[in-house]
PDB file of all heavy atoms in Angstrom:
ATOM      1  N   GLY A   1       4.329 -22.984 -14.271  1.00  0.00           N
ATOM      2  CA  GLY A   1       4.297 -24.086 -13.318  1.00  0.00           C
ATOM      3  C   GLY A   1       3.199 -23.949 -12.279  1.00  0.00           C
ATOM      4  O   GLY A   1       2.931 -24.881 -11.534  1.00  0.00           O
ATOM      5  N   ALA A   2       2.589 -22.768 -12.217  1.00  0.00           N
ATOM      6  CA  ALA A   2       1.504 -22.536 -11.253  1.00  0.00           C
ATOM      7  C   ALA A   2       0.449 -21.638 -11.908  1.00  0.00           C
ATOM      8  O   ALA A   2      -0.008 -20.654 -11.334  1.00  0.00           O
ATOM      9  CB  ALA A   2       2.051 -21.890  -9.988  1.00  0.00           C
ATOM     10  N   GLU A   3       0.087 -21.981 -13.127  1.00  0.00           N
ATOM     11  CA  GLU A   3      -0.810 -21.158 -13.919  1.00  0.00           C
ATOM     12  C   GLU A   3      -2.241 -21.169 -13.384  1.00  0.00           C
ATOM     13  O   GLU A   3      -2.813 -22.233 -13.212  1.00  0.00           O
ATOM     14  CB  GLU A   3      -0.842 -21.644 -15.387  1.00  0.00           C
ATOM     15  CG  GLU A   3       0.487 -21.603 -16.100  1.00  0.00           C
ATOM     16  CD  GLU A   3       1.347 -22.849 -15.904  1.00  0.00           C
ATOM     17  OE1 GLU A   3       0.953 -23.741 -15.115  1.00  0.00           O
ATOM     18  OE2 GLU A   3       2.410 -22.928 -16.524  1.00  0.00           O
ATOM     19  N   PRO A   4      -2.804 -19.978 -13.142  1.00  0.00           N
ATOM     20  CA  PRO A   4      -4.230 -19.936 -12.804  1.00  0.00           C
ATOM     21  C   PRO A   4      -5.033 -20.223 -14.078  1.00  0.00           C
ATOM     22  O   PRO A   4      -4.674 -19.734 -15.152  1.00  0.00           O
ATOM     23  CB  PRO A   4      -4.444 -18.502 -12.317  1.00  0.00           C
ATOM     24  CG  PRO A   4      -3.365 -17.709 -12.971  1.00  0.00           C
ATOM     25  CD  PRO A   4      -2.200 -18.649 -13.152  1.00  0.00           C
ATOM     26  N   THR A   5      -6.055 -21.028 -13.960  1.00  0.00           N
ATOM     27  CA  THR A   5      -6.810 -21.401 -15.162  1.00  0.00           C
ATOM     28  C   THR A   5      -8.290 -21.071 -15.017  1.00  0.00           C
ATOM     29  O   THR A   5      -8.807 -20.946 -13.911  1.00  0.00           O
ATOM     30  CB  THR A   5      -6.666 -22.907 -15.473  1.00  0.00           C
ATOM     31  OG1 THR A   5      -7.128 -23.653 -14.347  1.00  0.00           O
ATOM     32  CG2 THR A   5      -5.240 -23.277 -15.795  1.00  0.00           C
ATOM     33  N   ARG A   6      -8.925 -20.946 -16.155  1.00  0.00           N
ATOM     34  CA  ARG A   6     -10.362 -20.770 -16.254  1.00  0.00           C
ATOM     35  C   ARG A   6     -10.935 -22.078 -16.754  1.00  0.00           C
ATOM     36  O   ARG A   6     -10.501 -22.589 -17.782  1.00  0.00           O
ATOM     37  CB  ARG A   6     -10.691 -19.667 -17.275  1.00  0.00           C
ATOM     38  CG  ARG A   6     -11.364 -18.478 -16.663  1.00  0.00           C
ATOM     39  CD  ARG A   6     -11.683 -17.431 -17.692  1.00  0.00           C
ATOM     40  NE  ARG A   6     -10.415 -16.805 -18.088  1.00  0.00           N
ATOM     41  CZ  ARG A   6     -10.097 -16.466 -19.324  1.00  0.00           C
ATOM     42  NH1 ARG A   6     -10.928 -16.660 -20.304  1.00  0.00           N
ATOM     43  NH2 ARG A   6      -8.940 -15.928 -19.585  1.00  0.00           N
ATOM     44  N   ARG A   7     -11.846 -22.634 -15.995  1.00  0.00           N
ATOM     45  CA  ARG A   7     -12.472 -23.913 -16.334  1.00  0.00           C
ATOM     46  C   ARG A   7     -11.436 -25.021 -16.535  1.00  0.00           C
ATOM     47  O   ARG A   7     -11.655 -25.958 -17.293  1.00  0.00           O
ATOM     48  CB  ARG A   7     -13.346 -23.764 -17.579  1.00  0.00           C
ATOM     49  CG  ARG A   7     -14.492 -22.813 -17.373  1.00  0.00           C
ATOM     50  CD  ARG A   7     -15.425 -22.781 -18.568  1.00  0.00           C
ATOM     51  NE  ARG A   7     -16.179 -21.543 -18.513  1.00  0.00           N
ATOM     52  CZ  ARG A   7     -16.241 -20.666 -19.489  1.00  0.00           C
ATOM     53  NH1 ARG A   7     -15.632 -20.882 -20.615  1.00  0.00           N
ATOM     54  NH2 ARG A   7     -16.942 -19.567 -19.334  1.00  0.00           N
ATOM     55  N   GLY A   8     -10.287 -24.866 -15.902  1.00  0.00           N
ATOM     56  CA  GLY A   8      -9.273 -25.909 -15.928  1.00  0.00           C
ATOM     57  C   GLY A   8      -8.520 -26.086 -17.228  1.00  0.00           C
ATOM     58  O   GLY A   8      -7.710 -26.989 -17.348  1.00  0.00           O
ATOM     59  N   CYS A   9      -8.759 -25.205 -18.207  1.00  0.00           N
ATOM     60  CA  CYS A   9      -8.090 -25.472 -19.487  1.00  0.00           C
ATOM     61  C   CYS A   9      -7.398 -24.268 -20.111  1.00  0.00           C
ATOM     62  O   CYS A   9      -6.471 -24.453 -20.887  1.00  0.00           O
ATOM     63  CB  CYS A   9      -9.071 -26.092 -20.483  1.00  0.00           C
ATOM     64  SG  CYS A   9     -10.482 -25.043 -20.828  1.00  0.00           S
ATOM     65  N   THR A  10      -7.792 -23.046 -19.795  1.00  0.00           N
ATOM     66  CA  THR A  10      -7.111 -21.892 -20.371  1.00  0.00           C
ATOM     67  C   THR A  10      -6.537 -21.031 -19.256  1.00  0.00           C
ATOM     68  O   THR A  10      -7.102 -20.937 -18.159  1.00  0.00           O
ATOM     69  CB  THR A  10      -8.069 -21.029 -21.230  1.00  0.00           C
ATOM     70  OG1 THR A  10      -9.144 -20.581 -20.407  1.00  0.00           O
ATOM     71  CG2 THR A  10      -8.612 -21.808 -22.409  1.00  0.00           C
ATOM     72  N   ILE A  11      -5.426 -20.403 -19.537  1.00  0.00           N
ATOM     73  CA  ILE A  11      -4.787 -19.552 -18.545  1.00  0.00           C
ATOM     74  C   ILE A  11      -5.659 -18.324 -18.296  1.00  0.00           C
ATOM     75  O   ILE A  11      -6.115 -17.669 -19.230  1.00  0.00           O
ATOM     76  CB  ILE A  11      -3.375 -19.135 -19.012  1.00  0.00           C
ATOM     77  CG1 ILE A  11      -2.462 -20.368 -19.025  1.00  0.00           C
ATOM     78  CG2 ILE A  11      -2.800 -18.045 -18.111  1.00  0.00           C
ATOM     79  CD1 ILE A  11      -1.081 -20.121 -19.562  1.00  0.00           C
ATOM     80  N   ASP A  12      -5.868 -18.036 -17.027  1.00  0.00           N
ATOM     81  CA  ASP A  12      -6.643 -16.864 -16.614  1.00  0.00           C
ATOM     82  C   ASP A  12      -5.664 -15.704 -16.437  1.00  0.00           C
ATOM     83  O   ASP A  12      -5.119 -15.488 -15.357  1.00  0.00           O
ATOM     84  CB  ASP A  12      -7.391 -17.174 -15.320  1.00  0.00           C
ATOM     85  CG  ASP A  12      -8.342 -16.068 -14.914  1.00  0.00           C
ATOM     86  OD1 ASP A  12      -8.216 -14.935 -15.433  1.00  0.00           O
ATOM     87  OD2 ASP A  12      -9.216 -16.342 -14.069  1.00  0.00           O
ATOM     88  N   LYS A  13      -5.456 -14.970 -17.530  1.00  0.00           N
ATOM     89  CA  LYS A  13      -4.482 -13.879 -17.520  1.00  0.00           C
ATOM     90  C   LYS A  13      -4.858 -12.811 -16.505  1.00  0.00           C
ATOM     91  O   LYS A  13      -3.987 -12.294 -15.802  1.00  0.00           O
ATOM     92  CB  LYS A  13      -4.339 -13.264 -18.914  1.00  0.00           C
ATOM     93  CG  LYS A  13      -3.308 -12.153 -18.978  1.00  0.00           C
ATOM     94  CD  LYS A  13      -3.149 -11.575 -20.370  1.00  0.00           C
ATOM     95  CE  LYS A  13      -2.136 -10.452 -20.373  1.00  0.00           C
ATOM     96  NZ  LYS A  13      -1.989  -9.830 -21.700  1.00  0.00           N
ATOM     97  N   ALA A  14      -6.133 -12.483 -16.393  1.00  0.00           N
ATOM     98  CA  ALA A  14      -6.564 -11.461 -15.441  1.00  0.00           C
ATOM     99  C   ALA A  14      -6.208 -11.861 -14.004  1.00  0.00           C
ATOM    100  O   ALA A  14      -5.711 -11.037 -13.228  1.00  0.00           O
ATOM    101  CB  ALA A  14      -8.059 -11.200 -15.570  1.00  0.00           C
ATOM    102  N   ALA A  15      -6.444 -13.116 -13.666  1.00  0.00           N
ATOM    103  CA  ALA A  15      -6.097 -13.602 -12.320  1.00  0.00           C
ATOM    104  C   ALA A  15      -4.591 -13.578 -12.116  1.00  0.00           C
ATOM    105  O   ALA A  15      -4.108 -13.212 -11.042  1.00  0.00           O
ATOM    106  CB  ALA A  15      -6.645 -15.012 -12.114  1.00  0.00           C
ATOM    107  N   ALA A  16      -3.846 -13.962 -13.155  1.00  0.00           N
ATOM    108  CA  ALA A  16      -2.379 -13.956 -13.068  1.00  0.00           C
ATOM    109  C   ALA A  16      -1.870 -12.533 -12.840  1.00  0.00           C
ATOM    110  O   ALA A  16      -1.033 -12.296 -11.954  1.00  0.00           O
ATOM    111  CB  ALA A  16      -1.774 -14.546 -14.336  1.00  0.00           C
ATOM    112  N   LEU A  17      -2.355 -11.591 -13.617  1.00  0.00           N
ATOM    113  CA  LEU A  17      -1.920 -10.199 -13.482  1.00  0.00           C
ATOM    114  C   LEU A  17      -2.304  -9.630 -12.119  1.00  0.00           C
ATOM    115  O   LEU A  17      -1.514  -8.888 -11.509  1.00  0.00           O
ATOM    116  CB  LEU A  17      -2.490  -9.349 -14.615  1.00  0.00           C
ATOM    117  CG  LEU A  17      -1.912  -9.630 -16.003  1.00  0.00           C
ATOM    118  CD1 LEU A  17      -2.669  -8.851 -17.076  1.00  0.00           C
ATOM    119  CD2 LEU A  17      -0.423  -9.319 -16.057  1.00  0.00           C
ATOM    120  N   ALA A  18      -3.480  -9.978 -11.621  1.00  0.00           N
ATOM    121  CA  ALA A  18      -3.915  -9.504 -10.307  1.00  0.00           C
ATOM    122  C   ALA A  18      -2.991 -10.039  -9.210  1.00  0.00           C
ATOM    123  O   ALA A  18      -2.608  -9.304  -8.290  1.00  0.00           O
ATOM    124  CB  ALA A  18      -5.362  -9.911 -10.043  1.00  0.00           C
ATOM    125  N   HIS A  19      -2.625 -11.321  -9.307  1.00  0.00           N
ATOM    126  CA  HIS A  19      -1.734 -11.930  -8.307  1.00  0.00           C
ATOM    127  C   HIS A  19      -0.343 -11.290  -8.379  1.00  0.00           C
ATOM    128  O   HIS A  19       0.271 -11.003  -7.341  1.00  0.00           O
ATOM    129  CB  HIS A  19      -1.661 -13.441  -8.533  1.00  0.00           C
ATOM    130  CG  HIS A  19      -0.986 -14.177  -7.429  1.00  0.00           C
ATOM    131  ND1 HIS A  19      -0.549 -15.463  -7.565  1.00  0.00           N
ATOM    132  CD2 HIS A  19      -0.648 -13.828  -6.155  1.00  0.00           C
ATOM    133  CE1 HIS A  19       0.018 -15.859  -6.449  1.00  0.00           C
ATOM    134  NE2 HIS A  19      -0.030 -14.882  -5.577  1.00  0.00           N
ATOM    135  N   ILE A  20       0.144 -11.057  -9.593  1.00  0.00           N
ATOM    136  CA  ILE A  20       1.451 -10.426  -9.767  1.00  0.00           C
ATOM    137  C   ILE A  20       1.429  -9.014  -9.190  1.00  0.00           C
ATOM    138  O   ILE A  20       2.328  -8.621  -8.438  1.00  0.00           O
ATOM    139  CB  ILE A  20       1.854 -10.411 -11.257  1.00  0.00           C
ATOM    140  CG1 ILE A  20       2.182 -11.832 -11.713  1.00  0.00           C
ATOM    141  CG2 ILE A  20       3.029  -9.466 -11.512  1.00  0.00           C
ATOM    142  CD1 ILE A  20       2.269 -12.002 -13.219  1.00  0.00           C
ATOM    143  N   GLU A  21       0.380  -8.249  -9.509  1.00  0.00           N
ATOM    144  CA  GLU A  21       0.266  -6.876  -9.020  1.00  0.00           C
ATOM    145  C   GLU A  21       0.214  -6.847  -7.491  1.00  0.00           C
ATOM    146  O   GLU A  21       0.892  -6.046  -6.851  1.00  0.00           O
ATOM    147  CB  GLU A  21      -0.990  -6.225  -9.602  1.00  0.00           C
ATOM    148  CG  GLU A  21      -1.166  -4.782  -9.189  1.00  0.00           C
ATOM    149  CD  GLU A  21      -2.427  -4.170  -9.776  1.00  0.00           C
ATOM    150  OE1 GLU A  21      -2.665  -4.330 -10.988  1.00  0.00           O
ATOM    151  OE2 GLU A  21      -3.182  -3.545  -8.991  1.00  0.00           O
ATOM    152  N   GLU A  22      -0.562  -7.732  -6.912  1.00  0.00           N
ATOM    153  CA  GLU A  22      -0.679  -7.796  -5.451  1.00  0.00           C
ATOM    154  C   GLU A  22       0.665  -8.150  -4.808  1.00  0.00           C
ATOM    155  O   GLU A  22       1.081  -7.533  -3.822  1.00  0.00           O
ATOM    156  CB  GLU A  22      -1.728  -8.833  -5.048  1.00  0.00           C
ATOM    157  CG  GLU A  22      -1.856  -9.017  -3.561  1.00  0.00           C
ATOM    158  CD  GLU A  22      -2.779 -10.172  -3.197  1.00  0.00           C
ATOM    159  OE1 GLU A  22      -3.552 -10.636  -4.056  1.00  0.00           O
ATOM    160  OE2 GLU A  22      -2.704 -10.610  -2.037  1.00  0.00           O
ATOM    161  N   THR A  23       1.358  -9.133  -5.359  1.00  0.00           N
ATOM    162  CA  THR A  23       2.653  -9.552  -4.811  1.00  0.00           C
ATOM    163  C   THR A  23       3.679  -8.433  -4.959  1.00  0.00           C
ATOM    164  O   THR A  23       4.426  -8.148  -4.016  1.00  0.00           O
ATOM    165  CB  THR A  23       3.145 -10.838  -5.499  1.00  0.00           C
ATOM    166  OG1 THR A  23       2.130 -11.847  -5.384  1.00  0.00           O
ATOM    167  CG2 THR A  23       4.426 -11.348  -4.863  1.00  0.00           C
ATOM    168  N   CYS A  24       3.721  -7.783  -6.114  1.00  0.00           N
ATOM    169  CA  CYS A  24       4.658  -6.676  -6.326  1.00  0.00           C
ATOM    170  C   CYS A  24       4.376  -5.541  -5.339  1.00  0.00           C
ATOM    171  O   CYS A  24       5.308  -4.973  -4.761  1.00  0.00           O
ATOM    172  CB  CYS A  24       4.573  -6.166  -7.758  1.00  0.00           C
ATOM    173  SG  CYS A  24       5.359  -7.239  -8.976  1.00  0.00           S
ATOM    174  N   ARG A  25       3.112  -5.214  -5.131  1.00  0.00           N
ATOM    175  CA  ARG A  25       2.738  -4.146  -4.210  1.00  0.00           C
ATOM    176  C   ARG A  25       3.118  -4.528  -2.772  1.00  0.00           C
ATOM    177  O   ARG A  25       3.699  -3.722  -2.039  1.00  0.00           O
ATOM    178  CB  ARG A  25       1.242  -3.854  -4.318  1.00  0.00           C
ATOM    179  CG  ARG A  25       0.783  -2.654  -3.511  1.00  0.00           C
ATOM    180  CD  ARG A  25      -0.692  -2.293  -3.704  1.00  0.00           C
ATOM    181  NE  ARG A  25      -1.591  -3.422  -3.573  1.00  0.00           N
ATOM    182  CZ  ARG A  25      -2.248  -3.996  -4.591  1.00  0.00           C
ATOM    183  NH1 ARG A  25      -2.092  -3.550  -5.814  1.00  0.00           N
ATOM    184  NH2 ARG A  25      -3.054  -5.017  -4.378  1.00  0.00           N
ATOM    185  N   THR A  26       2.828  -5.759  -2.388  1.00  0.00           N
ATOM    186  CA  THR A  26       3.118  -6.218  -1.027  1.00  0.00           C
ATOM    187  C   THR A  26       4.607  -6.143  -0.704  1.00  0.00           C
ATOM    188  O   THR A  26       4.991  -5.727   0.381  1.00  0.00           O
ATOM    189  CB  THR A  26       2.619  -7.669  -0.838  1.00  0.00           C
ATOM    190  OG1 THR A  26       1.206  -7.688  -1.028  1.00  0.00           O
ATOM    191  CG2 THR A  26       2.959  -8.192   0.551  1.00  0.00           C
ATOM    192  N   TYR A  27       5.456  -6.547  -1.658  1.00  0.00           N
ATOM    193  CA  TYR A  27       6.892  -6.639  -1.395  1.00  0.00           C
ATOM    194  C   TYR A  27       7.709  -5.504  -2.009  1.00  0.00           C
ATOM    195  O   TYR A  27       8.933  -5.538  -1.963  1.00  0.00           O
ATOM    196  CB  TYR A  27       7.418  -7.990  -1.887  1.00  0.00           C
ATOM    197  CG  TYR A  27       6.819  -9.138  -1.110  1.00  0.00           C
ATOM    198  CD1 TYR A  27       5.800  -9.911  -1.651  1.00  0.00           C
ATOM    199  CD2 TYR A  27       7.255  -9.429   0.180  1.00  0.00           C
ATOM    200  CE1 TYR A  27       5.239 -10.955  -0.932  1.00  0.00           C
ATOM    201  CE2 TYR A  27       6.691 -10.466   0.903  1.00  0.00           C
ATOM    202  CZ  TYR A  27       5.682 -11.221   0.342  1.00  0.00           C
ATOM    203  OH  TYR A  27       5.132 -12.245   1.060  1.00  0.00           O
ATOM    204  N   GLY A  28       7.048  -4.521  -2.599  1.00  0.00           N
ATOM    205  CA  GLY A  28       7.767  -3.373  -3.149  1.00  0.00           C
ATOM    206  C   GLY A  28       8.613  -3.703  -4.361  1.00  0.00           C
ATOM    207  O   GLY A  28       9.683  -3.118  -4.551  1.00  0.00           O
ATOM    208  N   ILE A  29       8.148  -4.634  -5.189  1.00  0.00           N
ATOM    209  CA  ILE A  29       8.881  -5.022  -6.390  1.00  0.00           C
ATOM    210  C   ILE A  29       8.297  -4.260  -7.577  1.00  0.00           C
ATOM    211  O   ILE A  29       7.083  -4.235  -7.758  1.00  0.00           O
ATOM    212  CB  ILE A  29       8.777  -6.541  -6.630  1.00  0.00           C
ATOM    213  CG1 ILE A  29       9.415  -7.295  -5.466  1.00  0.00           C
ATOM    214  CG2 ILE A  29       9.422  -6.932  -7.949  1.00  0.00           C
ATOM    215  CD1 ILE A  29       9.176  -8.799  -5.496  1.00  0.00           C
ATOM    216  N   GLN A  30       9.166  -3.648  -8.365  1.00  0.00           N
ATOM    217  CA  GLN A  30       8.703  -2.898  -9.522  1.00  0.00           C
ATOM    218  C   GLN A  30       9.058  -3.646 -10.803  1.00  0.00           C
ATOM    219  O   GLN A  30      10.231  -3.837 -11.106  1.00  0.00           O
ATOM    220  CB  GLN A  30       9.302  -1.502  -9.534  1.00  0.00           C
ATOM    221  CG  GLN A  30       8.824  -0.665  -8.368  1.00  0.00           C
ATOM    222  CD  GLN A  30       9.362   0.738  -8.404  1.00  0.00           C
ATOM    223  OE1 GLN A  30      10.161   1.107  -9.243  1.00  0.00           O
ATOM    224  NE2 GLN A  30       8.907   1.564  -7.467  1.00  0.00           N
ATOM    225  N   LEU A  31       8.030  -4.081 -11.512  1.00  0.00           N
ATOM    226  CA  LEU A  31       8.191  -4.783 -12.781  1.00  0.00           C
ATOM    227  C   LEU A  31       7.016  -4.449 -13.688  1.00  0.00           C
ATOM    228  O   LEU A  31       5.911  -4.205 -13.214  1.00  0.00           O
ATOM    229  CB  LEU A  31       8.216  -6.304 -12.564  1.00  0.00           C
ATOM    230  CG  LEU A  31       9.430  -6.900 -11.883  1.00  0.00           C
ATOM    231  CD1 LEU A  31       9.161  -8.344 -11.484  1.00  0.00           C
ATOM    232  CD2 LEU A  31      10.645  -6.826 -12.798  1.00  0.00           C
ATOM    233  N   ASN A  32       7.256  -4.481 -14.996  1.00  0.00           N
ATOM    234  CA  ASN A  32       6.188  -4.333 -15.980  1.00  0.00           C
ATOM    235  C   ASN A  32       5.797  -5.735 -16.438  1.00  0.00           C
ATOM    236  O   ASN A  32       6.565  -6.377 -17.156  1.00  0.00           O
ATOM    237  CB  ASN A  32       6.670  -3.492 -17.157  1.00  0.00           C
ATOM    238  CG  ASN A  32       5.658  -3.415 -18.278  1.00  0.00           C
ATOM    239  OD1 ASN A  32       4.567  -3.995 -18.211  1.00  0.00           O
ATOM    240  ND2 ASN A  32       6.021  -2.699 -19.336  1.00  0.00           N
TER     241      ASN A  32
END
C-alpha cells in the first residue's frame, strides 16, 4: 500500500529494505 518504486513502475526492494531496517533500528523491533 506504500510501495517505494523505481521509475514509478517497479518496486524498489533496496529502498524498502533500507526503510524497514531504519524503522526496526529506531524502534528496537527485531524481524527478518
Side-chain angles (χ1 to χ4, degrees):
E3 300 86 355
T5 58
R6 244 181 288 140
R7 297 186 201 125
C9 60
T10 59
I11 292 176
D12 187 343
K13 182 179 179 182
L17 290 173
H19 190 195
I20 289 166
E21 182 180 312
E22 177 187 344
T23 305
C24 285
R25 186 175 49 252
T26 298
Y27 295 103
I29 298 171
Q30 295 183 356
L31 290 168
N32 174 0

